[in-house]
Amino acid sequence: MKKILTVASVCAIALASCNKDNVGPNSDLNAGLPNKPQATIPTDAAGIITKTTLSADTVWKIDGVAFVRPGATLTIQAGTYITSGVTKAYNDQITGLTQNIKGVLVVPKTAKLIANGTAAAPIVFTSPNAAGSRNPGDFGGVVLLGNATTNQASTKRIEGIPQPVGVDVTYGGTNAADNSGSLKYVRIEFAGYNLTADNEINGLTLGGVGTGTTLENIQVSWGKDDGFEFFGGTVNAKYLVALSNDDDDFDFDHGYTGTIQYALSLKDPNSTNSTSSGSSDSNGLESDNEGTAPYSATPKTRPVLKNFTFLGIKDATVANTKLKFGNRWRRASEYDIQNSIIAGYTTGAAFQDGATGTFTGNVVHAYSAAFSGATPTGNQTNVSADATTYLKLAGGVNIFYSTGTTFNPAFLRPSSTSPAYGDGSTTYKGAFHPTNAPWTATWTQFAPKTY
């Protein structure tokens, strides 16, 4: 995204009245959802959830925007599916527009979400539609708001629609160790809304989220905007997957200073891609300190990233049309990225608007230029029309994502002759160990439109 904390719609006074669980008929076996009873998550008139646990024996639907009660904890059991329910209309007092939204879960300050799935029973937020008929925007998204540091005013709230009575929808504060809960083994599929120009909902939005929060083994796929977006905060994360998202797979803004290790970014030649001034604006990663020059707010945005794999598109011509940069560091963002792989983009990494930091120990392939705006040292680079021959990963020519074939993350493990191999144990580059089983095993889904 290129804006202030988006999800304008989630700060709303829900228009619907209170509802009960309202258990309905079983899910359609062809819909990609478990064959279980369905129920709407009950809320009060302001959209605040009145349950404390969502059980795995039910497929839960979110009508409009649902908020975890401030000071309360919502627990979602392993193996639970959550999908969109009824669309609701919300008045955006800033733009004067009416936004029609469904399937958005918001965890405000002081509230917590405990969504701990397992590798065998992940928690899945997904489309309600049948396999083969799912599309980005079928589900809304998940939003966590915390009290950790940002470089924006601590009273800043999500733009757009009025907040529910009694709910604080600002993000950011002074508690770096703030705890918004735990997400483990979670998939978020077909999320996102385009509300207005430069104002969309992401798959997983994190505003001022602190280090007390646990984020592990999370996949965001087929999103209508960004996969993961961090608006300030200090939260750390590991084992993240972003697949086939329209805009940036990972987006950092407003003073985010956490550490993320082991992450996979996969672009899809068949997906839509965001544009700016008629050209693609879809990146593997984008990082800004803030949106207004001279971009001097502190603390500076400075994500620490280790063992990422960013794969664009195998065909150089298609990549040049559909994608922007593998990494885009701009607007005085700082950075620290090491032991990572970037491949399949026209330009591997771009450094703009005074962005500075550490970029070393990485393997960078590009179709036209490994870097633009700066030339960091200590990296291995290759400019050619064929990324696969250079990278020498286990999958050979089959390392890029394609909906026409079965994708296997084990293909991304470096072979012993790969520039990403390192010592084969601790100094390898990219998201996957050369010989260990991939950490994506069993809980991820790389064919979400058809499973």
Side-chain angles (χ1 to χ4, degrees):
M1 290 189 191
K2 321 298 181 286
K3 51 270 174 195
I4 308 305
L5 181 54
T6 56
V7 202
S9 57
V10 301
C11 311
I13 297 176
L15 299 183
S17 59
C18 304
N19 60 70
K20 299 184 181 296
D21 285 9
N22 190 26
V23 175
N26 288 355
S27 306
D28 182 348
L29 281 170
N30 296 318
L33 296 170
N35 186 31
K36 298 176 181 179
Q38 294 187 359
T40 298
I41 298 175
T43 64
D44 65 16
I48 298 173
I49 296 170
T50 56
K51 288 182 72 71
T52 58
T53 300
L54 301 182
S55 57
D57 59 2
T58 300
V59 174
W60 296 97
K61 299 183 291 186
I62 301 175
D63 288 350
V65 182
F67 300 83
V68 179
R69 184 178 300 278
T73 297
L74 175 66
T75 299
I76 303 177
Q77 293 181 351
T80 301
Y81 277 68
I82 301 95
T83 190
S84 296
V86 174
T87 299
K88 292 185 179 180
Y90 298 92
N91 178 40
D92 185 336
Q93 293 185 339
I94 294 177
T95 65
L97 300 175
T98 297
Q99 306 290 0
N100 298 299
I101 307 162
K102 61 181 177 180
V104 177
L105 176 64
V106 181
V107 183
K109 286 180 177 180
T110 75
K112 291 181 182 179
L113 174 63
I114 304 299
N116 291 335
T118 67
I123 293 167
V124 183
F125 297 85
T126 193
S127 167
N129 297 329
S133 298
R134 302 174 188 149
N135 290 291
D138 287 349
F139 181 72
V142 179
V143 182
L144 272 61
L145 304 175
N147 281 295
T149 51
T150 75
N151 62 22
Q152 302 292 297
S154 61
T155 56
K156 193 174 193 65
R157 68 177 180 86
I158 303 171
E159 294 181 334
I161 301 167
Q163 65 189 46
V165 174
V167 177
D168 180 2
V169 292
T170 64
Y171 65 98
T174 60
N175 182 9
D178 191 44
N179 185 352
S180 295
S182 177
L183 278 70
K184 295 182 179 180
Y185 295 102
V186 171
R187 298 203 312 263
I188 302 171
E189 303 168 346
F190 306 104
Y193 279 99
N194 293 326
L195 301 173
T196 58
D198 290 336
N199 190 11
E200 299 91 7
I201 296 177
N202 305 300
L204 180 59
T205 300
L206 302 141
V209 176
T211 57
T213 308
T214 300
L215 302 176
E216 297 179 5
N217 298 91
I218 302 171
Q219 179 179 17
V220 180
S221 305
W222 295 91
K224 202 166 186 176
D225 193 55
D226 296 332
F228 299 84
E229 186 152 18
F230 297 76
F231 291 94
T234 56
V235 64
N236 302 314
K238 58 183 177 181
Y239 307 123
L240 306 183
V241 178
L243 165 66
S244 190
N245 294 297
D246 177 87
D247 196 18
D248 308 316
D249 284 337
F250 297 90
D251 200 338
F252 306 102
D253 311 272
H254 297 168
Y256 172 72
T257 57
T259 296
I260 304 174
Q261 187 167 20
Y262 309 116
L264 174 62
S265 161
L266 292 174
K267 291 300 187 183
D268 177 5
N270 299 300
S271 72
T272 61
N273 293 103
S274 64
T275 59
S276 178
S277 301
S279 299
S280 174
D281 204 26
S282 180
N283 306 285
L285 173 156
E286 183 175 82
S287 185
D288 302 284
N289 189 49
E290 59 174 324
T292 305
Y295 318 120
S296 57
T298 57
K300 289 290 189 72
T301 300
R302 186 181 179 274
V304 176
L305 310 180
K306 304 175 182 178
N307 296 100
F308 272 61
T309 295
F310 298 94
L311 291 181
I313 294 174
K314 184 176 183 180
D315 186 293
T317 301
V318 177
N320 188 54
T321 301
K322 294 181 69 68
L323 305 178
K324 190 76 171 180
F325 303 114
N327 280 195
R328 189 180 197 182
W329 302 98
R330 65 176 188 173
R331 295 176 178 169
S333 174
E334 296 181 356
Y335 51 85
D336 185 343
I337 178 168
Q338 302 181 49
N339 296 334
S340 295
I341 296 172
I342 303 172
Y345 288 83
T346 301
T347 301
F351 306 90
Q352 304 170 328
D353 311 315
T356 59
T358 299
F359 188 105
T360 188
N362 304 301
V363 174
V364 181
H365 163 273
Y367 295 123
S368 181
F371 304 118
S372 69
T375 306
T377 60
N379 303 284
Q380 301 176 77
T381 64
N382 173 264
V383 177
S384 69
D386 183 7
T388 63
T389 299
Y390 170 64
L391 290 177
K392 295 182 175 62
L393 302 182
V397 299
N398 297 313
I399 63 172
F400 288 95
Y401 183 77
S402 171
T403 54
T405 59
T406 300
F407 182 81
N408 185 352
F411 290 169
L412 305 185
R413 295 180 294 184
S415 69
S416 60
T417 58
S418 169
Y421 188 76
D423 65 5
S425 178
T426 60
T427 62
Y428 64 91
K429 323 302 182 191
F432 300 103
H433 189 283
T435 57
N436 292 349
W439 46 263
T440 51
T442 72
W443 64 276
T444 53
Q445 178 54 254
F446 291 96
K449 276 205 164 187
T450 57
Y451 79 88

